[in-house]
Amino acid sequence: MRVILVGLLAIGLSVLPAQADTIIGPSGKPLDQVKCKMDPQDCYRQAGKLCKGSYQVIDSESHSGGLLADIIPGPVTWYSMVFQCGPS
């Protein structure tokens, strides 16, 4: 029973949408940052939606974290991507 509950929790958390924030880059231009869990493709999809088309990836990284947050190491891989809307 416990295995089933953990499995359902993991599936439920994996469908949560990516989180996006806008930051100001070194050049003074706005950059967007998106954080996704379990699937790096979610970051690309979110960037495409936010930019309504093309974008340029400035930086990306991944690390392990907990199921609900990435502040402590855990069983979930978190992905982060910084991008700028427009053609590369």
Side-chain angles (χ1 to χ4, degrees):
M1 184 67 173
R2 183 179 291 178
V3 173
I4 293 172
L5 290 175
V6 170
L8 290 174
L9 179 63
I11 291 169
L13 292 174
S14 68
V15 298
L16 292 175
Q19 303 169 351
D21 293 313
T22 300
I23 58 175
I24 302 300
S27 67
K29 294 182 180 180
L31 301 173
D32 291 301
Q33 180 180 30
V34 66
K35 185 187 294 185
C36 312
K37 59 175 115 167
M38 295 190 183
D39 185 5
Q41 298 300 318
D42 289 340
C43 288
Y44 296 120
R45 283 190 279 277
Q46 188 69 17
K49 286 180 187 176
L50 287 171
C51 294
K52 297 180 175 81
S54 63
Y55 58 90
Q56 179 180 5
V57 176
I58 306 299
D59 189 30
S60 64
E61 63 93 19
S62 66
H63 60 274
S64 63
L67 288 175
L68 299 176
D70 64 345
I71 55 175
I72 57 172
V76 176
T77 301
W78 288 76
Y79 299 92
S80 177
M81 184 173 77
V82 176
F83 60 95
Q84 184 174 16
C85 294
S88 59

